[in-house]
Amino acid sequence: PPEIGVLVYMTSYISFFNAQSGPIPTSLGLVTPLQTFDVESNNMEGELFQPEYSGPNGLTEVVNFRASLNNFRGNIPTEIGR
């Protein structure tokens, strides 16, 4: 959901097999302590990553990332999880 960015202390987002649709919200980049992001097997689509996702320090702590079995385009940039 677009409101995910207000959860600035969240460390895990797990929503697999949940019929979630649409793109990954750009506000995800505001969740700087995020370590696990799992949206596998949903109906999500769009670019896998956009510059807004990484924010000023966003997504550098991600160590578990699962997004297969969706309709994403693109690659995971090297800045994610560094």
Side-chain angles (χ1 to χ4, degrees):
E3 299 81 15
I4 196 170
V6 300
L7 304 171
V8 294
Y9 298 108
M10 179 173 61
T11 59
S12 296
Y13 182 76
I14 300 171
S15 182
F16 59 90
F17 295 103
N18 207 14
Q20 194 172 347
S21 62
I24 297 173
T26 56
S27 62
L28 185 67
L30 300 173
V31 186
T32 55
L34 190 68
Q35 296 176 355
T36 299
F37 182 76
D38 186 347
V39 292
E40 185 177 46
S41 297
N42 280 291
N43 297 314
M44 299 184 77
E45 61 188 10
E47 290 297 321
L48 186 56
F49 274 93
Q50 296 182 27
E52 294 90 346
Y53 298 155
S54 52
N57 295 310
L59 306 187
T60 56
E61 301 296 319
V62 172
V63 291
N64 299 304
F65 183 87
R66 294 176 61 185
S68 62
L69 303 173
N70 283 287
N71 295 310
F72 291 121
R73 297 180 306 275
N75 298 312
I76 301 171
T78 57
E79 297 83 31
I80 303 304
R82 54 180 145 148

